[in-house]
Amino acid sequence: MSPIVPLDEWYFGAYGGRYVPETLMTALDELTDAYRTYAPTREFQAELDQLYRFYAGRPTPLYYADRFSRALGKGRIYFKREDLNHTGAHKINNALGQILLAKRMGKRRIIAETGAGQHGVATATVAAKFGLECVVYMGEVDMARQALNVFRMKLLGAQVRPVTSGSRTLKDATNEAIRDWVTNVDDTYYLIGSVVGPHPYPEIVRDFQAVIGRETRLQLLTLTGRLPDYVVACVGGGSNALGIFTAFLPDPGVKLIGVEAAGKGLDTEEHAASLKKGAPGVLHGAKSYLLSDPDGQIREAYSISAGLDYPGVGPEHSYLKDRGRVEYRAITDWEALEAFTSLTRTEGIIPALESAHAVAEGMKLGRQLEQDEIMVINLSGRGDKDIPTVAQLMEVNL
Amino acid sequence: MNRVALRFQELQKTGRKAFIPYIMGGDPDLPSLPGILETLVVCGADLIEIGVPFSDPLADGPLIQAAGMRALQNGSTLTKLLATIEPVATSLPVPLVFMVYYNQIVRRGLRRFMEEVKAAGGAGLIIPDLPPEAAVELRGLAAELDLSLNFLVAPTSPEERILLAVTASTGFLYTVSVKGVTGVRRGLPPELPDFIQQVKALSSRPVAVGFGIAHPEQATIISRLADGVIIGSAIVQAIGEDPGLKRMTALVKQLRAAI
């Protein structure tokens, strides 16, 4: 018998893989087959393209932020306006792609995990559009923090199941979604929301999000005739970041900066900086950098932003970090809040708190830009959902 | 030959089917663990599976999740768990197999983890989130240290995956009875007997069946088809409800009699 070894395609260097219960291994093979069969077809791509254009509102603008740029220094700063997507963030790109796959696989029930609720809302939205049953797992703590998104999902016809195990946040919601999938694997499609999980999910989600970078590249070349010097994006699981980075990976002159949440500071226990402060381990089916104690217990992540509040990160980010192709930095809660206010006041754009981390790093970098250097910041989502959180921090009663 | 394989060989000679109780290591607390192990042996356990408590046990249902949380809250860490087992392991006449999630092994370092398990008197591992393909290095270490690795097959596993698990397993083949997580279920899936027979036909290793088996009647049916019966959640529940162990003792006796 031939040696029992994993397939190379499961991994990004040393990271990724399929660390899941045996019950799911065949389902993951089927998903891989379906993805390789359907996604490359002209018919699939045409349907997705129509949905991107007329349903999601793509292409999203690449906006030159003149006041924001001038306030910082000499460079030119552009925002990729993923916040203008239907449902308010980049999450819809992936949800639309995966639901087309689910439909072709004949699945009638969609499950998803959500932290801040953005992916849950995107999934509930596409499930409503395609008339499929939808169950979203959400930690009890997150449900309390993001009550508005819980109600949105319910309005869209999804069932939101509170998760009361563990830390009652995104990682536990993901555990629960995996348990549901193990139990209902025959008729259920697990629509994962970031570039995490077992192979082939990190690849599928990256590919559906890569539209962000493809558009950005073309738009910037059209506008300026050149590539950017810097591309900056926030990293929780890391799907918006890989979405915009992927198109620029082959260009060594484009510096790629991923921004993790430093929470209350990298020298405290309260952060979500898996890449900066974690070590390789296995969570939710993939090997990647993550936050765990020396006994291997997963630590609770912390960030003001519920979408970055995750103790793991997509395996491709771990690979890109080790290779040195992407530089990862971290931004604290307060820096993100300052950036949130600053962008709101200078450009009239209220960013999601997740995206505000990228904006904050962009502000630091922006002060050092040379004349005519170009930086693109991925504005992954809009801040409407965060208004109650910010009001509370400002001690304003709404 | 590793101790798990050896034990099954002894059992097969006498025609006895293996009764494999599962307990959560450190629930209700670590000082109770030696007593629980001794009680299980006295009540007729042939092997014992000890769960290493983990923050994110995605193959486990609510009962084992809750037991794991209790164990963690009561200070059961891997180091302390192994230290508690080490003095009693050699005097116990049954092999101890750890059920452990892969991150706990990775974080420790594969070699160090395996050496510590060996030093504590452990006989093998069940890793619910490690498929045989991803176990190349661990299989080498297990062979070197004469520890058994026991891989899982599920009702969704096609023939080639069952064969993969057979080849990689050096103790027994852990046959998952249901599509789902661990837990207490009434009845058995109607297709289970056929599935166990299929696995038996493909397997050169002993076949033990677990997940969802809680009642003596279920255990009897399984024991006629397989080489061993693994019972976890029901025992964990009995310990949780009565830390004095009377309920666990009664259940374990009933189960042993049924197998």
Side-chain angles (χ1 to χ4, degrees), chain B residues 181-233:
Chain B
V181 293
T182 59
V184 167
R185 294 180 182 83
R186 299 227 150 260
L188 292 167
E191 60 280 12
L192 182 61
D194 284 348
F195 174 54
I196 296 175
Q197 270 157 11
Q198 186 203 0
V199 174
K200 279 287 291 174
L202 292 168
S203 180
S204 53
R205 298 281 171 203
V207 171
V209 179
F211 279 44
I213 303 162
H215 306 287
E217 314 81 70
Q218 294 168 310
T220 300
I221 296 169
I222 302 289
S223 67
R224 289 187 189 131
L225 300 163
D227 304 301
V229 186
I230 305 164
I231 297 164
S233 293

Side-chain angles (χ1 to χ4, degrees), chain B residues 135-198:
Chain B
V136 179
E137 192 183 344
L138 204 65
R139 288 173 62 204
L141 289 165
E144 182 189 322
L145 295 167
D146 212 18
L147 292 169
S148 74
L149 291 182
N150 309 283
F151 288 92
L152 294 87
V153 295
T156 53
S157 306
E159 192 172 313
E160 62 268 25
R161 292 204 58 80
I162 296 174
L163 290 171
L164 215 60
V166 170
T167 308
S169 296
T170 51
F172 63 90
L173 196 62
Y174 193 129
T175 302
V176 176
S177 73
V178 291
K179 290 170 196 158
V181 293
T182 59
V184 167
R185 294 180 182 83
R186 299 227 150 260
L188 292 167
E191 60 280 12
L192 182 61
D194 284 348
F195 174 54
I196 296 175
Q197 270 157 11
Q198 186 203 0

Side-chain angles (χ1 to χ4, degrees), chain A residues 79-108:
Chain A
F79 286 103
K80 180 60 173 167
R81 298 293 308 274
E82 291 299 302
D83 59 317
L84 295 178
N85 271 313
H86 180 42
T87 71
H90 70 292
K91 293 290 184 188
I92 194 79
N93 303 332
N94 166 53
L96 282 168
Q98 285 202 58
I99 201 106
L100 293 187
L101 207 52
K103 204 178 70 168
R104 281 163 177 74
M105 292 175 76
K107 305 288 184 185
R108 49 163 203 83

